[in-house]
Amino acid sequence: NHCPLIIPPPKNLTKSVTDLTDLSSYGSNSFDAIICCYGYNLSSNISHALSEAYRVLIPGGVLVIATWERSAMLSIGRDVEAYVRGGGRDPYTTLDDDEAFLPPRLVPVKKIELSGVGELEGLLAASGFGHKPQAVVATSLVYPIDLGSTPADQFAMGTILVRGELESLGALGSAGGSNGAGGWGNLAEEAFWMNIKKYVDVVEGNLLLRDNTFKLVVSTKM
Protein backbone atom coordinates (compact mmCIF):
# COMPACT_ATOMS: atom_id res chain seq x y z
CA ASN A 1 0.00 0.00 0.00
CA HIS A 2 3.01 2.26 -0.24
CA CYS A 3 2.94 4.70 -3.15
CA PRO A 4 6.38 5.74 -4.40
CA LEU A 5 7.08 9.45 -4.53
CA ILE A 6 6.50 10.73 -8.05
CA ILE A 7 8.62 13.72 -8.91
CA PRO A 8 7.43 15.69 -11.93
CA PRO A 9 10.08 16.28 -14.61
CA PRO A 10 11.64 19.73 -14.90
CA LYS A 11 9.67 22.10 -17.10
CA ASN A 12 12.66 22.59 -19.38
CA LEU A 13 12.99 18.84 -20.06
CA THR A 14 11.80 17.49 -23.40
CA LYS A 15 12.04 14.01 -24.92
CA SER A 16 12.54 13.07 -28.55
CA VAL A 17 13.64 10.03 -30.53
CA THR A 18 16.21 10.60 -33.23
CA ASP A 19 18.98 8.91 -35.21
CA LEU A 20 22.60 9.42 -34.17
CA THR A 21 23.52 9.99 -37.80
CA ASP A 22 20.79 12.57 -38.45
CA LEU A 23 20.58 15.48 -36.00
CA SER A 24 19.27 17.84 -38.68
CA SER A 25 16.36 18.83 -36.45
CA TYR A 26 18.86 20.51 -34.12
CA GLY A 27 20.79 23.63 -34.95
CA SER A 28 24.56 23.94 -34.85
CA ASN A 29 26.14 24.99 -31.52
CA SER A 30 22.96 24.19 -29.56
CA PHE A 31 23.98 21.62 -26.89
CA ASP A 32 26.27 21.92 -23.88
CA ALA A 33 26.81 18.16 -23.59
CA ILE A 34 25.97 14.86 -25.25
CA ILE A 35 26.13 11.61 -23.28
CA CYS A 36 25.86 8.28 -25.06
CA CYS A 37 26.33 4.84 -23.47
CA TYR A 38 27.00 1.95 -25.87
CA GLY A 39 25.34 3.74 -28.78
CA TYR A 40 27.99 4.94 -31.21
CA ASN A 41 29.50 1.46 -31.47
CA LEU A 42 26.15 0.26 -32.85
CA SER A 43 25.82 3.02 -35.44
CA SER A 44 25.89 2.13 -39.13
CA ASN A 45 28.01 5.24 -39.80
CA ILE A 46 30.05 6.12 -36.72
CA SER A 47 32.10 8.84 -38.44
CA HIS A 48 29.03 10.75 -39.58
CA ALA A 49 27.34 10.32 -36.20
CA LEU A 50 30.38 11.83 -34.45
CA SER A 51 30.50 14.68 -36.96
CA GLU A 52 26.85 15.44 -36.20
CA ALA A 53 27.62 15.47 -32.47
CA TYR A 54 30.49 17.89 -33.06
CA ARG A 55 28.24 20.18 -35.10
CA VAL A 56 25.46 20.51 -32.53
CA LEU A 57 27.78 21.04 -29.54
CA ILE A 58 28.62 24.56 -28.49
CA PRO A 59 32.32 25.53 -28.37
CA GLY A 60 33.55 24.08 -25.10
CA GLY A 61 30.75 21.49 -25.11
CA VAL A 62 31.57 17.89 -24.26
CA LEU A 63 30.74 14.53 -25.79
CA VAL A 64 30.81 11.63 -23.32
CA ILE A 65 30.93 8.15 -24.86
CA ALA A 66 30.89 4.78 -23.11
CA THR A 67 31.80 1.74 -25.17
CA TRP A 68 33.47 -1.65 -24.98
CA GLU A 69 37.17 -1.84 -25.66
CA ARG A 70 37.23 -5.60 -25.08
CA SER A 71 34.38 -7.88 -24.15
CA ALA A 72 34.49 -11.59 -23.42
CA MET A 73 30.71 -11.61 -23.88
CA LEU A 74 31.16 -10.37 -27.44
CA SER A 75 33.87 -12.97 -28.02
CA ILE A 76 31.81 -15.95 -26.85
CA GLY A 77 28.84 -14.62 -28.80
CA ARG A 78 30.95 -14.47 -31.96
CA ASP A 79 32.24 -17.99 -31.38
CA VAL A 80 28.71 -19.31 -31.05
CA GLU A 81 27.40 -17.39 -34.05
CA ALA A 82 30.33 -18.40 -36.25
CA TYR A 83 29.80 -22.05 -35.32
CA VAL A 84 26.10 -21.82 -36.14
CA ARG A 85 26.61 -19.96 -39.40
CA GLY A 86 29.36 -22.32 -40.51
CA GLY A 87 27.15 -25.41 -40.36
CA GLY A 88 29.05 -28.65 -39.97
CA ARG A 89 28.06 -32.01 -38.57
CA ASP A 90 24.92 -32.05 -36.48
CA PRO A 91 26.23 -32.97 -32.99
CA TYR A 92 22.90 -34.53 -32.03
CA THR A 93 22.39 -36.95 -34.92
CA THR A 94 23.34 -40.59 -35.39
CA LEU A 95 23.02 -40.46 -39.19
CA ASP A 96 26.07 -41.25 -41.31
CA ASP A 97 25.00 -39.80 -44.64
CA ASP A 98 24.61 -36.25 -45.96
CA GLU A 99 21.57 -35.68 -43.75
CA ALA A 100 23.93 -35.62 -40.76
CA PHE A 101 25.36 -32.26 -41.84
CA LEU A 102 23.90 -28.81 -41.36
CA PRO A 103 24.38 -26.35 -44.26
CA PRO A 104 26.48 -23.21 -43.77
CA ARG A 105 24.64 -19.94 -43.22
CA LEU A 106 27.39 -17.51 -44.03
CA VAL A 107 26.30 -13.95 -43.32
CA PRO A 108 28.77 -11.25 -42.20
CA VAL A 109 28.95 -10.97 -38.42
CA LYS A 110 28.20 -7.48 -37.10
CA LYS A 111 30.96 -5.65 -35.32
CA ILE A 112 29.52 -4.01 -32.22
CA GLU A 113 32.53 -2.68 -30.38
CA LEU A 114 35.35 -0.20 -30.97
CA SER A 115 38.23 -2.42 -29.90
CA GLY A 116 41.05 -1.29 -32.17
CA VAL A 117 43.92 0.53 -30.46
CA GLY A 118 43.07 4.23 -30.71
CA GLU A 119 40.14 3.45 -33.04
CA LEU A 120 37.56 5.62 -31.31
CA GLU A 121 40.07 8.40 -30.66
CA GLY A 122 40.96 8.43 -34.35
CA LEU A 123 37.31 8.68 -35.37
CA LEU A 124 36.79 11.54 -32.92
CA ALA A 125 39.80 13.42 -34.28
CA ALA A 126 38.58 12.99 -37.86
CA SER A 127 35.18 14.35 -36.81
CA GLY A 128 36.61 17.59 -35.44
CA PHE A 129 37.54 16.65 -31.88
CA GLY A 130 41.10 16.15 -30.77
CA HIS A 131 42.82 19.00 -32.59
CA LYS A 132 44.29 20.27 -29.30
CA PRO A 133 46.02 18.40 -26.43
CA GLN A 134 43.62 17.01 -23.82
CA ALA A 135 40.62 17.53 -26.12
CA VAL A 136 40.02 13.76 -26.00
CA VAL A 137 40.55 11.97 -22.67
CA ALA A 138 40.00 8.21 -22.38
CA THR A 139 39.92 5.98 -19.31
CA SER A 140 39.38 2.22 -19.08
CA LEU A 141 38.15 -0.17 -16.40
CA VAL A 142 38.36 -3.98 -16.41
CA TYR A 143 35.56 -5.85 -14.66
CA PRO A 144 34.12 -9.41 -14.57
CA ILE A 145 30.58 -10.35 -15.60
CA ASP A 146 28.83 -12.95 -13.44
CA LEU A 147 26.87 -15.44 -15.59
CA GLY A 148 25.37 -17.14 -12.55
CA SER A 149 25.51 -20.74 -11.37
CA THR A 150 22.84 -22.58 -13.38
CA PRO A 151 23.52 -23.79 -16.95
CA ALA A 152 20.33 -22.21 -18.30
CA ASP A 153 21.23 -18.78 -16.91
CA GLN A 154 24.85 -19.10 -18.02
CA PHE A 155 23.84 -19.92 -21.58
CA ALA A 156 21.16 -17.23 -21.74
CA MET A 157 23.40 -14.47 -20.39
CA GLY A 158 26.47 -15.59 -22.31
CA THR A 159 24.68 -15.38 -25.65
CA ILE A 160 22.48 -12.36 -24.99
CA LEU A 161 24.36 -10.08 -27.40
CA VAL A 162 23.74 -12.42 -30.35
CA ARG A 163 20.35 -13.70 -29.25
CA GLY A 164 18.49 -12.03 -32.09
CA GLU A 165 20.81 -13.49 -34.72
CA LEU A 166 20.62 -16.98 -33.19
CA GLU A 167 16.82 -16.84 -33.07
CA SER A 168 16.64 -15.71 -36.70
CA LEU A 169 18.86 -18.65 -37.65
CA GLY A 170 16.63 -21.08 -35.75
CA ALA A 171 19.59 -22.15 -33.63
CA LEU A 172 17.82 -22.01 -30.26
CA GLY A 173 15.44 -24.51 -28.71
CA SER A 174 11.87 -23.40 -28.02
CA ALA A 175 12.80 -22.34 -24.50
CA GLY A 176 16.01 -20.62 -25.58
CA GLY A 177 18.17 -23.60 -24.79
CA SER A 178 18.44 -27.34 -25.21
CA ASN A 179 15.10 -29.06 -25.64
CA GLY A 180 16.19 -32.28 -27.29
CA ALA A 181 15.09 -31.07 -30.72
CA GLY A 182 18.44 -31.78 -32.35
CA GLY A 183 19.83 -30.02 -35.43
CA TRP A 184 19.59 -26.25 -35.55
CA GLY A 185 17.48 -26.22 -32.38
CA ASN A 186 20.50 -27.15 -30.25
CA LEU A 187 23.48 -25.93 -32.26
CA ALA A 188 23.96 -22.65 -30.38
CA GLU A 189 24.05 -24.34 -26.98
CA GLU A 190 26.48 -26.96 -28.23
CA ALA A 191 28.79 -24.19 -29.47
CA PHE A 192 28.48 -22.26 -26.21
CA TRP A 193 29.65 -25.13 -24.01
CA MET A 194 32.45 -25.98 -26.45
CA ASN A 195 33.90 -22.46 -26.19
CA ILE A 196 32.96 -20.88 -22.87
CA LYS A 197 35.76 -22.36 -20.73
CA LYS A 198 38.46 -20.22 -22.37
CA TYR A 199 36.69 -17.02 -21.27
CA VAL A 200 35.67 -17.73 -17.68
CA ASP A 201 36.86 -18.40 -14.17
CA VAL A 202 34.74 -20.57 -11.88
CA VAL A 203 34.20 -19.02 -8.45
CA GLU A 204 31.97 -20.89 -5.97
CA GLY A 205 30.06 -22.47 -8.83
CA ASN A 206 29.52 -19.21 -10.71
CA LEU A 207 30.98 -18.53 -14.15
CA LEU A 208 32.77 -15.17 -14.24
CA LEU A 209 33.55 -13.76 -17.68
CA ARG A 210 36.94 -12.10 -17.45
CA ASP A 211 38.67 -9.53 -19.66
CA ASN A 212 35.79 -7.10 -20.11
CA THR A 213 37.10 -3.58 -20.60
CA PHE A 214 34.74 -0.63 -20.35
CA LYS A 215 36.01 2.55 -21.99
CA LEU A 216 34.88 6.08 -21.19
CA VAL A 217 35.93 8.85 -23.56
CA VAL A 218 35.29 12.54 -22.88
CA SER A 219 35.83 14.85 -25.86
CA THR A 220 35.67 18.65 -25.81
CA LYS A 221 34.78 20.80 -28.80
CA MET A 222 37.59 23.36 -28.90
Side-chain angles (χ1 to χ4, degrees):
N1 296 326
H2 295 285
C3 180
L5 178 64
I6 299 176
I7 302 175
K11 293 182 179 180
N12 63 345
L13 177 66
T14 59
K15 180 178 71 173
S16 64
V17 178
T18 189
D19 189 321
L20 282 173
T21 61
D22 182 12
L23 302 181
S24 58
S25 58
Y26 305 107
S28 299
N29 306 315
S30 57
F31 286 91
D32 297 305
I34 297 173
I35 301 172
C36 184
C37 295
Y38 305 107
Y40 284 101
N41 54 298
L42 300 175
S43 173
S44 60
N45 191 336
I46 299 174
S47 296
H48 186 66
L50 293 174
S51 295
E52 277 286 86
Y54 185 85
R55 179 184 66 80
V56 301
L57 281 172
I58 65 171
V62 296
L63 171 63
V64 181
I65 297 175
T67 186
W68 290 289
E69 190 172 50
R70 293 191 307 276
S71 172
M73 189 172 285
L74 287 171
S75 298
I76 182 60
R78 281 202 192 91
D79 286 349
V80 171
E81 189 176 354
Y83 186 85
V84 169
R85 291 184 186 279
R89 183 174 177 80
D90 180 352
Y92 292 92
T93 188
T94 57
L95 299 175
D96 294 324
D97 55 21
D98 290 342
E99 294 180 13
F101 289 84
L102 299 169
R105 299 187 177 188
L106 300 177
V107 179
V109 177
K110 296 177 183 178
K111 181 185 178 189
I112 56 174
E113 90 277 26
L114 294 163
S115 58
V117 177
E119 182 178 0
L120 178 55
E121 291 86 339
L123 290 168
L124 286 163
S127 301
F129 299 96
H131 292 310
K132 293 184 179 181
Q134 302 304 310
V136 177
V137 179
T139 56
S140 298
L141 175 67
V142 180
Y143 61 96
I145 296 177
D146 189 346
L147 299 182
S149 59
T150 66
D153 288 343
Q154 292 163 354
F155 173 65
M157 290 187 64
T159 57
I160 193 169
L161 296 178
V162 293
R163 202 118 188 117
E165 286 80 2
L166 296 176
E167 288 176 347
S168 68
L169 290 168
L172 296 175
S174 59
S178 177
N179 64 354
W184 285 108
N186 290 301
L187 200 58
E189 191 168 6
E190 172 76 6
F192 178 80
W193 296 115
M194 284 172 53
N195 288 281
I196 190 61
K197 289 183 179 180
K198 60 188 177 184
Y199 298 114
V200 298
D201 293 318
V202 181
V203 179
E204 296 181 351
N206 287 32
L207 294 187
L208 298 183
L209 276 174
R210 55 181 180 268
D211 197 29
N212 302 285
T213 305
F214 162 87
K215 189 172 189 178
L216 185 69
V217 181
V218 179
S219 306
T220 304
K221 180 177 178 178
M222 298 296 192

